[in-house]
Amino acid sequence: MGTVVDAANKEGTKSVLSEKKPKVVFVLGGPGSGKGTQCANIVEHFGYTHLSAGDLLRAEIKSGSENGTMIQNMISEGKIVPSEVTIKLLEKAIVENENDKFLIDGFPRNEENRAAFESVTGIEPEFVLFFDCSEEEMERRLLSRNQGRVDDNIDTIRKRFKVFVESSLSVIDYYNSKGKVRKIDAAKPVGEVFEAVKAVFAPALDKVAA
């Protein structure tokens, strides 16, 4: 249970975020679907700030904090980190950044994440960018890259696929029912994938300009 101070801090952050009214796009896709590469392209072409839930969590692990150790253990077991931990890191990043347009990459990971994010921050995404890619293709990509990540061995990769399918697809279904999912065929070459991404973001940009 949280303390009164925790509740006050949470409410304080919410009021700051509500005042800021950031535009948020959730970016979802299985491990190896190419989300990171495409987010970099969106940042360059459309001026968004990229917040990777995974990068924020890994930075917390590197800090050596007690929180970081807990996160490390859960990732090693292929488990999903508790919502409040990730939301707190995302909130801090949004509040501290001067931009008002954010790509949130790899979150929400499940229905509980989604509900908690909207409840705590008071923010609903403009839309959800879903990179759809076969398990075989994602596995091939992950095994061929060499980023020194502890979660890129075959057993953990397969655990991550299982977690993604069992948990994240319910989030995609939820937003699909609200007409907010923009599905991208991520199995195509990077350039073709970005052309599809640009088609999603350009109308949104035109709407803002109008």
Side-chain angles (χ1 to χ4, degrees), residues 23-81:
K23 177 179 180 178
V24 168
V25 173
F26 288 149
V27 183
L28 297 177
S33 60
K35 298 192 313 297
T37 300
Q38 296 302 329
C39 282
N41 288 335
I42 295 164
V43 167
E44 183 182 344
H45 285 78
F46 297 105
Y48 279 73
T49 292
H50 176 211
L51 298 178
S52 162
D55 286 350
L56 290 171
L57 291 167
R58 281 187 284 276
E60 189 71 13
I61 290 169
K62 277 189 179 178
S63 75
S65 68
E66 186 179 335
N67 210 26
T69 302
M70 178 270 291
I71 293 167
Q72 168 93 65
N73 292 339
M74 295 198 78
I75 289 176
S76 295
E77 292 169 19
K79 292 180 181 175
I80 287 178
V81 175

Side-chain angles (χ1 to χ4, degrees), residues 11 50 92 104 110 119 153 158 184 200 206:
E11 190 58 41
H50 176 211
K92 185 169 182 287
I104 296 185
N110 57 29
S119 171
N153 66 69
R158 286 179 177 161
I184 304 290
V200 169
D206 293 341

